[in-house]
Amino acid sequence: MIFQPFDELFPEIARQETRTIAIPEGNSFKLPADEYGFFEAYCNDPKCDCRRVFFNVFSRHRKKLEAVIFYGWEDVSFYRKWIGIPDFDAATNLAGPGLNDSSPQSSIAPSILIACSTLLLKDENYVKRIIKHYTMFKDKIKLK
């Protein structure tokens, strides 16, 4: 499964709705003061219904990829059924937020994950937007 940037299919919507967080000096996350953009990517397999997003997190001033965070918004029981194996650990690693082990991560990635979980994923409207973007993305790739 390949995760494709949302902005490749919906550039205007991505321009308007990509979330950023501004982290000030002396913050509790122990992150460098900067703006961090959370650029969405979704699985581009039309047959896959993983219900996950990857956030490629870039820092504005440092101008680099700092973290790749996954987020599965369904519960563990959904992912157990989805993978077809009643393996608790594998399903647990698909649900919720985490750092993607297969992607490059900066030294501040764990702190960015905490900021994402605390500031973004607790916002119900933002999570609904992510789910809407997932549906839009999946509908578009099914038409290809």
Side-chain angles (χ1 to χ4, degrees):
M1 111 180 51
I2 297 174
F3 281 76
Q4 181 178 351
F6 180 74
D7 66 350
E8 287 181 6
L9 297 183
F10 299 96
E12 199 55 42
I13 294 170
R15 216 176 342 275
Q16 294 171 10
E17 297 186 0
T18 295
R19 286 290 295 265
T20 62
I21 54 174
I23 301 292
E25 290 286 341
N27 62 81
S28 62
F29 300 110
K30 298 186 170 105
L31 284 168
D34 208 332
E35 277 185 46
Y36 297 89
F38 288 73
F39 296 88
E40 303 162 35
Y42 298 98
C43 172
N44 67 1
D45 179 348
K47 296 177 185 160
C48 177
D49 188 22
C50 59
R51 300 182 192 178
R52 300 175 78 214
V53 61
F54 276 36
F55 298 111
N56 296 298
V57 184
F58 288 89
S59 55
R60 172 174 267 183
H61 301 297
R62 292 162 45 119
K63 297 183 180 357
K64 64 181 253 188
L65 178 67
E66 301 286 3
V68 179
I69 297 170
F70 66 81
Y71 175 60
W73 53 85
E74 298 292 350
D75 62 19
V76 173
S77 65
F78 170 85
Y79 293 106
R80 277 192 191 137
K81 289 177 192 166
W82 180 71
I83 60 176
I85 304 170
D87 180 337
F88 181 79
D89 289 338
T92 301
N93 292 332
L94 295 173
L99 294 174
N100 186 42
D101 292 337
S102 302
S103 300
Q105 307 288 356
S106 73
S107 61
I108 63 172
S111 296
I112 292 173
L113 174 61
I114 293 168
C116 176
S117 298
T118 304
L119 301 173
L120 297 182
L121 299 178
K122 296 233 187 260
D123 178 347
E124 290 179 27
N125 289 326
Y126 179 61
V127 172
K128 287 178 184 174
R129 181 189 302 170
I130 293 300
I131 296 168
K132 177 183 170 193
H133 287 179
Y134 172 84
T135 302
M136 292 167 57
F137 188 92
K138 288 298 192 171
D139 288 347
K140 182 122 181 183
I141 63 170
K142 286 177 185 172
L143 297 174
K144 287 185 173 183

